[in-house]
Amino acid sequence: MPSLTLSHVTKYSYRQPVAFGEHRIMVRPRESYDQHLIDAQLTISPEPSDIRWLQDVFGNSVAIATFDKRAKDLVIDSRIRLNHSPAELQNVDIERYARFYPFTYSSEEMPDLLRSIERQHHDPLREIDTWARRFVSSGGQTDTLAMLSEMTAAIKREFTYVPRPEKGTQSPMETLAMRKGTCRDYAMLMIEAVRALGFAARFISGYVYNPSSREQRTGGGNTHAWVRVYLPGSGWVEFDPTNGIVGNRGLIRVAVARDIYQAVPISGTWSGFPGSFLDMSVSVNIAVDDAATGDANNSQHTAITA
């Protein structure tokens, strides 16, 4: 069970002191059977006049910070220690009725999954549908897990990963047409594709690290993005199309959401003279316990937006 130390520092710089409005901060990893928080510290400068925690509709931990001081810099520093025990692919055990596609979710589960099956992007020419159907066998049965695994691998194999520091996400149709994008673009493409096939899927925001020197992951930045698909018998199973992997080995969940805009790590407002904003910088450092991986000095650092 790897033990991780994670540092995520975001800094906003301004030409002169500005006033800060309410900020919503979602950087605390989720507690679960496969990732356990040992310690979590959130330091903000200037010090907020008030900070409160809540769980949103998806159970994500969110800090709400308010301020009564003006400053030229706003620094949000998250320090985390956690144990991570990722599930192995062979532990994906799908109910017999769902092992082959197509299938229908049970009447007990369907009411809670409906909103995660709904499409989020208008696709008048059904381009995403056509692309998704290429993974369905034209004759005979289609193995459910094999189909989803191949879709994950195909995005990794056929698309070009291009880091993009700017905010925003391409539409799935744009990503499909350009055959390139970031981790968040890939995640939204796969979510729409599996929803087109009738699967329940959710967007995941978190962190990515190299489990060992032999396993190199792509997509590091201030956060990483991937997909969860609901499979009866195993529940929410993770697929990372950026790296072409199934399961959460090397992936730390922070936020689970139906749509990408519900999983923004940091959002807030400021007021001051026009043109005051100078820059935003992000620094993420993840150190993996050497004893757990067999590697020496297995630490990773990045300062770009995935």
Side-chain angles (χ1 to χ4, degrees), residues 35-270:
Q35 56 183 51
H36 173 63
L37 282 179
I38 302 170
D39 184 47
Q41 299 178 15
L42 181 64
T43 305
I44 303 174
S45 177
E47 185 177 353
S49 57
D50 181 64
I51 184 167
R52 62 187 178 89
W53 288 88
L54 59 84
Q55 281 190 312
D56 67 8
V57 68
F58 300 104
N60 303 312
S61 294
V62 182
I64 306 295
T66 54
F67 302 83
D68 59 4
K69 299 175 183 176
R70 300 172 72 90
K72 293 178 66 175
D73 297 301
L74 173 62
V75 180
I76 299 171
D77 186 346
S78 173
R79 308 279 171 160
I80 301 293
R81 289 180 58 235
L82 77 160
N83 288 330
H84 190 219
S85 53
E88 299 296 335
L89 178 58
Q90 59 265 30
N91 292 333
V92 179
D93 186 12
I94 303 175
E95 293 281 0
R96 184 178 297 275
Y97 76 88
R99 291 176 184 171
F100 294 95
Y101 177 85
F103 66 89
T104 302
Y105 291 118
S106 70
S107 57
E108 292 82 8
E109 294 175 327
M110 182 62 85
D112 298 305
L113 296 175
L114 279 173
R115 294 305 306 275
S116 295
I117 300 174
E118 291 179 359
R119 304 282 292 275
Q120 300 291 314
H121 296 266
H122 187 50
D123 183 16
L125 300 179
R126 304 183 72 84
E127 298 169 273
I128 301 300
D129 300 64
T130 301
W131 184 79
R133 296 297 301 182
R134 63 174 273 200
F135 301 99
V136 180
S137 175
S138 57
Q141 295 179 315
T142 299
D143 183 279
T144 299
L145 183 59
M147 177 183 67
L148 294 172
S149 299
E150 175 53 27
M151 182 184 293
T152 305
I155 296 175
K156 162 70 174 176
R157 182 175 63 245
E158 300 172 9
F159 290 67
T160 301
Y161 175 78
V162 181
R164 188 175 65 248
E166 296 82 7
K167 293 182 179 180
T169 305
Q170 297 169 177
S171 73
M173 286 69 72
E174 289 173 324
T175 302
L176 188 61
M178 295 188 294
R179 298 282 165 155
K180 64 181 181 180
T182 68
C183 60
R184 58 187 186 269
D185 300 325
Y186 290 172
M188 291 309 300
L189 169 62
M190 185 167 177
I191 287 173
E192 283 295 293
V194 298
R195 285 174 175 170
L197 297 177
F199 289 95
R202 288 180 174 175
F203 179 88
I204 308 296
S205 175
Y207 301 103
V208 59
Y209 68 93
N210 297 328
S212 71
S213 59
R214 298 174 298 280
E215 299 173 273
Q216 300 297 310
R217 299 287 191 256
T218 301
N222 66 340
T223 56
H224 185 55
W226 62 98
V227 181
R228 259 186 164 185
V229 179
Y230 190 83
L231 299 177
S234 281
W236 295 102
V237 177
E238 283 156 90
F239 298 84
D240 181 1
T242 300
N243 290 290
I245 60 173
V246 181
N248 65 326
R249 185 171 171 80
L251 302 174
I252 301 296
R253 287 185 304 276
V254 171
V256 176
R258 189 166 39 85
D259 187 83
I260 186 173
Y261 299 106
Q262 298 169 310
V264 177
I266 300 174
S267 60
T269 61
W270 63 273

